[in-house]
Amino acid sequence: MATRRSKHARRVLVLGGGIAGIAAALDLSQRGIAVTLVESRERLGGRASSFFDAKSGLWLDNCQHVTLGCCSAYLGLLSRLGVERAIRWDDEQYWVEAGGRTTVLRPGRLPAPMHGLPSFLRARFLTVAEKARIAGALAQMGLLRRFDHEAQTFGQLLDDLGQRDSERRKFWDPIIISACNLHPDRVSALPAIQVFQDAFLAGARASRMGVLMVPLGSIYERAREAIRNAGGRLILGESVARFGARVATLASGQTLDADAVICALPFEKAFLCAEDELKRRDERFAGLARMKHSPILGVHLFFDRPVMRLPHSVLVGRETQWLFRKDPEGKVIHAVVSAADGWMPLEPEEITRRVLGDLLACFPQAASAELRLSRPVKERRASFAYTPGFEALRPASVSEEADTPVLAGDYTSTGWPATMEGAARSGCSAAALFRRPERALV
Ligand SMILES: Cc1cc2nc3c(=O)[nH]c(=O)nc-3n(C[C@H](O)[C@H](O)[C@H](O)COP(=O)(O)OP(=O)(O)OC[C@H]3O[C@@H](n4cnc5c(N)ncnc54)[C@H](O)[C@@H]3O)c2cc1C
């Protein structure tokens, strides 16, 4: 078990400019520590970012990213950057069935965990028997010690809780596939239980869904400015080729040294770029080599007229789990397919055909609309695959071993699934290990 040590550092190298790297670099630079952040792309943001799409002439997000009210570290980061008002908070959730029948799940006045019960009992997409079985399972789930269930899949837990195929397909699958990016039959029960305990059952504020109303990329413009204004240095468009405890060599051949290194690269790159000598003596790297990815597909759809007026929708029993309205009228829609392994080999035309099929099944009135443009974005390495046994592979941010880098990133031992919250937490915890030299405790 690694111990938390306070590190004296005047100069810290942060490798990787995703949310973990940004959170660490911002915190350190604002506390007067000289930070250099190295990012291989020209822009910050990593897996939660935007790109310029020449066909639409717009900045598009790689995928719709949502946050929840319980994501305190990520929301703290947005607030530090002064962009927390760019979030639209959806208290209600719209579940839409084939044919268009819609159920609105909303918090009521009862105290948590009962706050959602009255609207759940009115849900039209579930039978009375299904609701009874789901409510019973939720009540038990609220009381489970989630770490005791790490080694089983959520599917096995649902079996133990008496859940049948119909409620799985209609209720559990859409929630867990999108929250954990794996099918319930593959995902460890640990993160799935957490989704219910920390969000859905924790109260109206914890479970409300936040959707950014600006492109993700615009947030990082703020981050770049804030880090620079605090005296930090950003090296963008340069890849790290090798790193150790106090040094990084860039692909260009330049060597950067510092008092400490925070590695906020994705796990596969952290493993690839760590010095061999470091990997031999720092056992945290052994787990990284055994981690696997799970893909997500996002599809930007542009119609000639409004097709969905709801702010978002969960599509009951469809392969496309979520639709998000991206403009005030509902002509621009973003569709999300999580755990999208089967979609990765598909051509854009086939992806569009299938997603459009799901949309039209649930919004039949959209049949008269013309699809002007479809822009599928495949993210093969969207998240780590949180299967049973994964928790043991997650490295602590600091090692017992002397002369080792600090690790940050959503894959480290954050207590969270692969989320912006996990990434933000890891970056903040990594930065918190360092104290200004003149104030450092021995
Ligand atoms: C399609 C998709 C949808 C998602 N949806 C959600 C969601 O709705 N809600 C949510 O909370 N989370 C979501 N996530 C997960 C979330 O985006 C990630 O958990 C989070 O962004 C990870 O941040 P990170 O800093 O740990 O890693 P990364 O974002 O991977 O950051 C690592 C950085 O290192 C850089 N890098 C890589 N190699 C090198 C190198 N050799 N040298 C220098 N730099 C390098 C990368 O370019 C990157 O910027 C989604 C992810 C994807 C891909």
Side-chain angles (χ1 to χ4, degrees), residues 15-22 38-41 43-48 62-67 71 178 238-241 264-266 269 273 296-298 336 377 379 381-383 408-411 417-423 426:
L15 312 179
I19 289 171
I22 292 171
V38 187
E39 163 57 45
S40 58
R41 299 188 196 172
R43 282 178 296 279
L44 298 177
R47 276 172 284 154
N62 62 335
C63 189
Q64 179 67 57
H65 276 64
V66 301
T67 188
C71 294
S178 51
E238 291 242 31
S239 290
V240 173
L265 303 176
K269 292 290 172 56
C273 299
I296 300 180
L297 171 72
V336 182
V377 182
E379 288 279 11
R381 294 176 168 179
S383 74
D410 61 356
Y411 71 92
T419 49
M420 300 185 290
E421 174 65 11
S426 75

Side-chain angles (χ1 to χ4, degrees), residues 60-102:
L60 300 177
D61 289 348
N62 62 335
C63 189
Q64 179 67 57
H65 276 64
V66 301
T67 188
L68 294 172
C70 57
C71 294
S72 53
Y74 178 65
L75 295 173
L77 177 64
L78 295 189
S79 146
R80 245 170 135 161
L81 295 171
V83 292
E84 74 276 25
R85 282 169 189 271
I87 295 185
R88 182 193 75 211
W89 286 106
D90 292 351
D91 293 310
E92 302 178 328
Q93 267 187 18
Y94 300 89
W95 291 61
V96 184
E97 298 165 78
R101 189 168 67 165
T102 302

Side-chain angles (χ1 to χ4, degrees), residues 105-122 200:
L105 295 182
R106 58 166 66 91
R109 292 196 184 150
L110 294 175
M114 311 290 276
H115 58 288
L117 191 60
S119 90
F120 175 75
L121 292 178
R122 288 193 298 274
F200 289 89

Side-chain angles (χ1 to χ4, degrees), residues 13 59 108 124 131-132 146 203 252 271 273 323-324 341 429:
L13 272 177
W59 282 92
R124 299 161 81 190
K131 286 181 217 178
R146 55 189 184 233
S252 61
F271 184 77
C273 299
L323 298 177
F324 294 89
D341 305 73
S429 316

